Every structure is written in structure tokens, then in C-alpha cells.
Amino acid sequence: MKSLSILAATLAFSTAFGGAAFAQTDLTMWYHGAGSTVERDLINGIITDFNGSQTEWKVSLQEFPQAAYNDSVVAAAVAGNLPDIIDVDGPVMPNWAWAGYMQPLQLSEGALDGFLPGAIGTYNDQVYSVGLWDAAVAMYARKSTLEKFDIRMPTLEEPWTREEFDGILETLKASGEFEYPLNLGMADQGEWYPYAFAPFLWSFGGDLVDRTTYETAEGALNGDAAVEFGEWWQSLFTNNYVPGTSQDMADHETGFIDGDYALQWNGNWVAVNTLAALDDDVVFLPAPDFGNGPKIGGASWQFGVAATSAHPDGASAFIEFALQPKYLAAFSDGIGLIPATAEAAALTKNYAAGGALEAFYALSEQQAMLRPVTPGYVFEALEFRKALSDIANGADVVDALDAATDAINADIARNNNYAVAP
Amino acid sequence: MRPNRSKSLQSNTLAGWLMSGPALLLITLFLIVPFLLAFWFSFTNQRLISPNPTQFVGTSNFEQLLGVGALVLEPETAADGSLVVADDGELSYPRVREFTRNNPDFQHLNGMREWFGWDWGNSKVLVLARDLVFMKALTNTLFFVAVVAPLQSLIALLLALMINQKLLGINVFRTVYFMPVVVSIVVVSLLWRFIYDGRSGLLNNLLQFLSFGQFQPVDWLGNPDTAMWAIIVMSIWQAVGFHMVIWLAGLQNIPLTLYEAADIEGASSWQKFRFVTWPGLRNTAVLILVVITMQAFALFSQIDVMTNGGPLDSTQTLVFQAVQRGYEQQNIAGGSAISVLLFLMVLTISLVQRYVTRER
């Protein structure tokens, strides 16, 4: 009996001291990409490399499906159970930073040099998150279709104008060869609406909220420019140029490849598959210019550190480790996303000079505009989505935009103008 | 013997509490406490995510939800006092937003939206709502309950009468009718989305086939006129089996001797139903009516999966709005206020139903 307790004590001591001398401090990380084996392999690759590169930290990964990820983080934050490292959708970051879920990164000087602006998440002049990639949206078309209907190939310098674009839709519709001339992806009723369609509004000269103060949407979302946008938006549906809000997800995914839709407004994450199906017939064109320059949305998923993390230095060290060009390039090759730096782009198959997706890098660099950087964005996005759905379904344009404006203003007022808590 | 027995029952109260303990604990934890919290939150400005402290705001959440106003629109007149008539012969009216947005003379209407209205001579009388989406959710939910409660209980009763017969293989039919109940409502909703699909849905194809191609495809879930009906049909189909089984249990509790007596007296089938079956089903009927009403008020999953409240708010419901506000819009106070209103409504209706159907 006695020898047993001595043995136990010895074991306990040796574990405690031995652990202190050799074990690495555990860091947990949450990631939104459950279900994608490609992403899991990539992330796990980085984690293995990091854990092996030093003796201080040991990162372990927990994955969530994207649809449940934000809810999980919010629930964990309320319960005080956040991991050390989280990933966060760029436009949502200010909300979490404002709520006190996240803390600024501790990156070394110059760590973010050369990064695409959309990959850096700044709120209140501090960097809270950084992405290994950015995403971009482009107009997918087939060269053969453009040639057949004598449609000019737009360039970054000379994008389609509004008149030109409307005319193209009209021509494609009149040809009768397609079910719809354009697929906007109305089936994807999540963050896609504000991400993909707010740039049209920006190009018309409107916005989701007045960006000088972020305290009102009046005049931005229901001003003349926004109403003009709304009427154009509605015309797409009344003219049957695009499928409506009840579009089937399957049609959205395969419609362009099958030839049901002549054009498609879609993100670069489907580019790899589209290239595989259509080969070099597919081209990725810049957004049309509706008066205030062509725009697309910037910022995708990014990495940040939870406010409750006991080891922010270790968490930041991991994030900085992950920012190496080879990892940026690996993610790009794996899922087609835009590498966050030019250096990394040169290492990739698709974004290197002459690569099939090179156009996206230029799009991201030149046209990307961030969604409003404010904690209120989360609510603004919902109201914008509702207004666009209602207008597409035939609601009065002015009334729908007024309603969204009022709701956004009420939300901002309810939150003390989203002032940063003292 | 008798006093002894009642004493032995009472002496075991501890065991009774112990046995019901786990259930009571869970009910308290997951039903009573959350409800009390919701009740409290509905009088505050509680947010899901916020660094700001919670403040007590009185009844303003309820005023925001329930606020209504009236506006009489006079037709526009030309300079000489004559009415302006548009090309199509219609009178023209000023836009509602001129009164409801930043108009100092109509402060009390600020931010309201047109709900419904009617013509009054040359003028238009409009009822405005401060929270139009909530009002639509409220009317949609009441409409859903008003259609589903009687229809579903009636169909369930007919099915129960059908499968209560002693026929060969009747269990097959019982299984077939009951099957949708055991399938998750989310799965059923996803499947029915394919059935209702406007382009190549099963329903459109079927109707076209039956009408020899005369039928024009309808976008069932994408059309404000048909979306709610589509949800209603699918909801009735999914849950009817459950109530059918309860009816069936009630039917099988009716003593066969009563039917034999009725046969001897030469009663017709209708008379047997009217004077034997229906009185025997009284308690079952009360139960089913109350249960269906409560379930219908809780309409949520179908909306969340199939329509998201659209198109044009035609399928908004109270529970869907409560969840949307509380969770998606991070406005716990607003969602709580809707839950409290819903609770009060269901409670009132249940009490009325109990009173009307009480034993006399």
C-alpha cells in the first residue's frame, strides 16, 4: 500500500515537472470549414508545421460547418468558452471586436506588407484579423457566346456601362437560347446578397449606411442613387433577365455550366470547377460600371484572436506563421481563393502570370471595396437582403428601401450608435 | 381498508416528488426559467451581442410592435381646385412617405408603413403599422391557425374512421398515413421544396400531365398568393397522421356494445356516427383541438427551410419573427416581446376553448 502511494506521488511529480519542462502550452482553434476535406488538410498542414517549428505552443483544431459557425462563436462567447484562435468573416469582425469577443493581433512590424487590402481586418485603427486569402466576384461568360452575339469583351479599364449591360441582357434574352441571360445566384440567401449585390448599389452611388458617421442610412440606402439602383434591380426581374428568389440551389450551381444561363455573377470559389467543365471557353469579366466605377466586395474569412485567450502572444504567433506565402499559395491551389499577396500569387497555379484566374487578382486589387466597417453591419446586411428580395418580388422600390433605412436607423439607435464601450 | 389505502398513498409523497423530480427540474430549467427571462427581457433593451449594459425600457418594445395609426389621403387637386385625373382615369394621391417620413405635422405617424386601406368617397383611408412585418406575421399566423385547426382535425377524423375498419391489410394504410409524422419536419420541408419547384417541380409536372399540357406552371413558393397555401397543405399532410392516431385511440375506446345496441335499433351509419361515435369522442375532440391550435401557432421550421418569410412577407409568422429578431438581428428584447405576446394569445385561446368545450 505504501509503495503504491509513493509510486503515485512520484508519477504525479514527474508528470508535473516533466510537463513544465517539455510540454507545449495548448492553444485551441476554431475553423468554419467542416465538411471540406481539402480545407481540413490545408489547415492541419499548417498546424502540424507550426507545432513542430517551436516548443512553446501546441495548436489543436476544432471544425464547425459554416452555417453553424457564427452561432457557435456567439454562444461560446456568451458562455465564456471561446477558443484562443478563431476565424471570422471579414465584415462580421467589427461586431465581434465591438462586443469584446476579440482582441487586436500582436503581429511583428511589416508582417502585413503587400497584403491585399481586403485581407486585412482593421477596426478602430487596430488590426483584429487577417486573411490568408481574399475572395472576388466576377462575371462568368463563355467566349463562344460573346463572339456569337457580337458582345464586346470588357476590360478593367473599360468595363461594360449600364446601357451596354442592359443591352447585352436584352440581346441574350431575345436570342431565346437561354432560360435566363444572367444568373445572379438568388438561391443563395445568406451573406451572398450583401456581398455580391451591394457593389451594384455602390456603383450606382448609394450605400448601406452613411460611411462618414455610420450613424444613419438615411440618404444612403434610400437616396436618389439607391432608388435608381432599386429600379434597375427590379427591372432585371420584371424583364425576366434573371431567375427570382425561388431559384433552385441546384440550378444556381449547374445552370451556367449546363448552358441554361448565358452569364453568371459568381465568386472565384467556383472558378476551378467551371474551368474544369468548360476549359478555356470560360472568361472572368469585371463588374459593369453603373456610374461610379465598377465595384466588387472585398474581405473573406480571416483569422483572429479571442479576447478571452490567455495566450494572445501564442495565438498571434500562429497566425503570423500561417501568413507565409507557401500556405497562402496552398489555400489558393486547393480551393481557388485569391492569395493575399502578390508573392504568394506567383507561387500558385492559377494566379501566377498567365494563370487561368489571374483576372481575379486584379479585380480584388483594383475594384474591391469593403462592406461598411461597423458593428452594425450584421444588421444592415439582413435588412439589405430583405429589401432586395422584396424588390425582386415586386415590392415598391421606394417603400422597400425606406423600410430598410428605418429598420437600420432604429437598430443603430438601440445600440447607442455602436459607440465603442468605454 | 379505505382510509388505510389513502394514507399509504400520502405517506409516499417523498417518493412521488423524487420520481417527478428529474422531469420537474428539466421543465423548470428549459421552459419556466427561459419564459420568465423572456418576460423580463421584453421590458428591457437586451441584446444578444453588446458591450452596453441592459437597460429597463418599460413597454416600448410592445408599443413598437403594436403601434398603429390611421391616415386619410385626399386626392391631389390642381390649382383651380379640380381633381387631378391621370391618363388611366384614376385619381392621383400623394405618397404615404410624405406623411410618415420627417413630416413635423404628422409626428405621430413617423416611421409607419401602409398596412391596408379602403376607398371612402374620393379619399383613401389607410391603416398604418409601426412594425409592418410583425403585423403581417400576426395575421399570417392567425390565418394559418384558422385554416389548419379545423381542416386538419377533420381530415384526421375521416382518416381515423377509414382505418378503424377491420379490413385485410389495414395496418399498411395506418403506416402509410402515419409515416410523415416520424420524418423530421426539416427533411419533409426540403423534399416539398422540390415538389413545389416552379420550373421542374413534381406538382407542376403532375398538373400539366393531368391537364394534357393546359396547365401553366406556377411558382408555388415564389408567388405571394400561393406561398402560404403551399405551406398549409404541406403542414396538414405532415402532421395529420399524428392526430389520426389520437382519434383512432378515442374511437377504439367506444364500447362495441353501444354499436350493437344501435344496430338492433336499426340505426343508419350516419345515426350511429351522430349519436354514438361523436359523443364518445368528446374528450378526444377537445384534446385534439387544443393541441392542433397550439402546434399551429408554433409554425416555424417549414418557413425557415422553405420560404424565409417571403415572398413579400406572405409567409412571415410569429415564431419565425421571434427567432429572426432574437438571434439573427441580435435583438433579444424584440424577440422576447413577440414570444410574450404569442404566449398570451395562445393562453387566451386555449382558455376560451376549454370554456366553450367544458362539461355541462
Side-chain angles (χ1 to χ4, degrees):
Chain A
M1 197 64 202
K2 191 161 189 181
S3 60
L4 195 67
S5 61
I6 290 173
L7 177 69
T10 324
L11 272 177
F13 271 104
S14 64
T15 314
F17 284 104
F22 297 110
Q24 301 155 310
T25 310
D26 279 319
L27 297 174
T28 45
M29 170 175 186
W30 284 8
Y31 186 71
H32 75 273
S36 161
T37 49
V38 184
E39 279 180 77
R40 186 175 58 219
D41 292 346
L42 289 166
I43 286 272
N44 273 328
I46 300 179
I47 289 175
T48 314
D49 289 357
F50 176 74
N51 290 345
S53 72
Q54 36 73 46
T55 52
E56 208 175 342
W57 314 107
K58 183 169 182 292
V59 175
S60 59
L61 177 71
Q62 205 172 351
E63 286 180 295
F64 294 76
Q66 181 164 345
Y69 180 78
N70 285 2
D71 293 346
S72 308
V73 169
V74 170
V78 173
N81 272 335
L82 281 177
D84 298 288
I85 307 160
I86 55 177
D87 81 325
V88 52
D89 200 2
V92 173
M93 179 274 293
N95 189 271
W96 291 359
W98 166 78
Y101 294 3
M102 297 177 68
Q103 54 179 311
L105 297 178
Q106 303 172 3
L107 299 178
S108 52
E109 191 77 25
L112 297 181
D113 286 352
F115 270 66
L116 285 171
I120 304 175
T122 312
Y123 173 61
N124 276 334
D125 302 325
Q126 289 186 295
V127 176
Y128 276 85
S129 58
V130 55
L132 272 56
W133 61 81
D134 200 355
V137 171
M139 192 69 76
Y140 289 47
R142 289 167 197 249
K143 265 185 221 147
S144 52
T145 309
L146 297 183
E147 277 158 19
K148 179 169 179 191
F149 295 99
D150 201 19
I151 294 167
R152 178 179 74 88
M153 183 91 85
T155 59
L156 278 169
E157 293 72 35
E158 224 179 314
W160 284 332
T161 62
R162 178 183 167 182
E163 289 71 32
E164 220 177 342
F165 185 49
D166 284 347
I168 290 163
L169 294 178
E170 174 63 52
T171 309
L172 292 170
K173 175 88 204 164
S175 78
E177 281 188 26
F178 308 98
E179 204 156 337
Y180 291 99
L182 171 65
N183 170 29
L184 287 170
M186 300 296 285
D188 188 354
Q189 291 173 3
E191 182 60 24
W192 173 249
Y193 274 51
Y195 172 64
F197 307 145
F200 295 147
L201 172 65
W202 301 335
S203 188
F204 269 94
D207 207 336
L208 271 67
V209 63
D210 180 347
R211 292 203 195 204
T212 52
T213 60
Y214 290 113
E215 284 173 13
T216 178
E218 187 80 38
L221 189 51
N222 63 351
D224 294 340
V227 170
E228 203 189 332
F229 156 76
E231 271 154 10
W232 172 78
W233 179 253
Q234 193 159 52
S235 76
L236 294 178
F237 299 89
T238 46
N239 290 329
N240 275 321
Y241 289 162
V242 293
T245 52
S246 57
Q247 182 192 28
D248 198 40
M249 201 66 195
D251 295 337
H252 165 49
E253 267 162 26
T254 60
F256 176 72
I257 293 174
D258 294 345
D260 292 340
Y261 309 131
L263 300 170
Q264 149 161 288
W265 182 239
N266 214 333
N268 53 333
W269 51 90
V270 290
V272 172
N273 283 343
T274 313
L275 275 172
L278 300 181
D279 237 355
D280 55 359
D281 194 22
V282 62
V283 282
F284 307 104
L285 309 174
D289 180 358
F290 295 99
N292 286 31
K295 308 269 191 236
I296 60 168
S300 181
W301 287 86
Q302 304 174 347
F303 291 172
V305 180
T308 49
S309 170
H311 307 287
D313 45 342
S316 287
F318 171 74
I319 293 173
E320 194 165 330
F321 182 85
L323 296 179
Q324 297 177 46
K326 59 175 175 180
Y327 298 129
L328 274 51
F331 258 100
S332 173
D333 284 337
I335 39 184
L337 294 157
I338 303 171
T341 63
E343 193 189 341
L347 299 176
T348 65
K349 190 165 70 221
N350 289 323
Y351 292 92
L357 303 178
E358 200 188 356
F360 281 110
Y361 193 86
L363 281 174
S364 211
E365 202 174 28
Q366 296 185 26
Q367 303 186 341
M369 180 164 160
L370 292 182
R371 285 156 274 180
V373 185
T374 161
Y377 171 77
V378 177
F379 186 88
E380 285 150 21
L382 293 174
E383 285 302 321
F384 182 70
R385 182 175 85 196
K386 174 159 169 51
L388 286 199
S389 306
D390 285 354
I391 292 172
N393 286 322
D396 183 277
V397 172
V398 179
D399 287 346
L401 293 174
D402 274 348
T405 303
D406 286 345
I408 289 172
N409 287 353
D411 178 69
I412 292 174
R414 267 201 302 271
N415 286 286
N416 303 338
N417 295 339
Y418 286 107
V420 180
Chain B
M1 285 301 275
R2 268 170 105 206
N4 224 350
R5 189 185 293 164
S6 77
K7 196 179 167 202
S8 79
L9 270 176
Q10 280 167 358
S11 70
N12 277 331
T13 46
L14 182 66
W17 282 111
L18 276 178
M19 277 189 264
S20 55
L24 284 178
L25 186 78
L26 292 176
I27 287 177
T28 314
L29 201 64
F30 289 106
L31 283 175
I32 299 174
V33 171
F35 177 72
L36 292 178
L37 278 176
F39 192 76
W40 161 245
F41 285 151
S42 66
F43 294 99
T44 69
N45 65 352
Q46 177 73 37
R47 309 272 308 165
L48 181 68
I49 296 183
S50 174
N52 299 323
T54 305
Q55 287 163 328
F56 185 76
V57 295
T59 55
S60 77
N61 286 321
F62 295 100
E63 285 160 27
Q64 186 65 32
L65 287 176
L66 298 170
V68 284
L71 176 69
V72 179
L73 284 185
E74 304 291 347
E76 283 176 338
T77 51
D80 58 352
S82 65
L83 297 174
V84 178
V85 177
D87 294 340
D88 54 359
E90 298 282 330
L91 295 169
S92 80
Y93 295 88
R95 289 203 67 132
V96 176
R97 81 191 298 248
E98 289 169 24
F99 299 94
T100 57
R101 298 190 69 77
N102 309 321
N103 186 333
D105 298 336
F106 292 87
Q107 266 303 327
H108 60 292
L109 299 180
N110 204 19
M112 288 195 174
R113 291 169 70 197
E114 181 180 341
W115 184 11
F116 59 90
W118 59 88
D119 290 333
W120 187 272
N122 277 338
S123 335
K124 268 183 199 288
V125 182
L126 299 179
V127 176
L128 311 177
R130 193 163 292 285
D131 193 331
L132 189 61
V133 178
F134 171 77
M135 286 301 172
K136 287 192 173 162
L138 179 68
T139 44
N140 287 340
T141 309
L142 291 174
F143 175 73
F144 183 82
V145 173
V147 175
V148 166
L151 217 55
Q152 194 171 42
S153 42
L154 181 71
I155 296 174
L157 176 60
L158 293 178
L159 286 176
L161 290 171
M162 267 165 58
I163 62 168
N164 195 29
Q165 302 167 60
K166 288 189 177 54
L167 293 177
L168 196 67
I170 196 72
N171 274 336
V172 174
F173 289 96
R174 289 183 186 178
T175 315
V176 165
Y177 294 137
F178 191 71
M179 216 140 59
V181 180
V182 277
V183 183
S184 152
I185 182 72
V186 174
V187 175
V188 171
S189 302
L190 283 171
L191 291 178
W192 277 69
R193 233 169 53 182
F194 295 121
I195 295 179
Y196 283 139
D197 192 295
R199 266 181 67 200
S200 49
L202 184 68
L203 182 60
N204 279 329
N205 282 339
L206 189 72
L207 290 173
Q208 272 189 312
F209 175 75
L210 291 177
S211 65
F212 303 103
Q214 295 300 301
F215 182 81
Q216 289 301 313
V218 172
D219 188 358
W220 300 100
L221 292 172
N223 183 335
D225 299 327
T226 54
M228 194 44 147
W229 284 105
I231 299 268
I232 286 176
V233 169
M234 172 254 166
S235 305
I236 290 182
W237 172 84
Q238 195 264 341
V240 78
F242 179 74
H243 303 289
M244 172 192 80
V245 170
I246 302 179
W247 281 122
L248 190 61
L251 284 175
Q252 298 189 336
N253 268 338
I254 301 172
L256 282 176
T257 46
L258 294 179
Y259 289 103
E260 283 162 11
D263 281 334
I264 292 166
E265 304 220 351
S268 67
S269 312
W270 169 247
Q271 282 169 327
K272 272 192 278 183
F273 177 80
R274 173 69 187 81
F275 295 105
V276 179
T277 313
W278 185 242
L281 288 174
R282 236 199 86 81
N283 290 334
T284 319
V286 174
L287 173 77
I288 283 191
L289 201 61
V290 173
V291 170
I292 289 189
T293 308
M294 289 199 295
Q295 284 181 348
F297 267 108
L299 174 63
F300 170 74
S301 310
Q302 298 94 309
I303 305 297
D304 197 40
V305 176
M306 295 170 83
T307 64
N308 261 314
L312 295 179
D313 297 328
S314 59
T315 57
Q316 292 283 0
T317 67
L318 290 176
V319 179
F320 182 73
Q321 268 304 307
V323 173
Q324 271 244 305
R325 282 171 206 227
Y327 226 62
E328 271 205 69
Q329 304 185 358
Q330 307 185 350
N331 180 5
I332 291 288
S336 299
I338 295 183
S339 315
V340 169
L341 288 175
L342 180 65
F343 171 77
L344 293 178
M345 273 168 46
V346 175
L347 184 69
T348 315
I349 291 177
S350 297
L351 288 179
V352 170
Q353 282 177 339
R354 285 286 302 274
Y355 180 76
V356 172
T357 56
R358 72 192 183 281
E359 299 274 356
R360 267 170 287 212

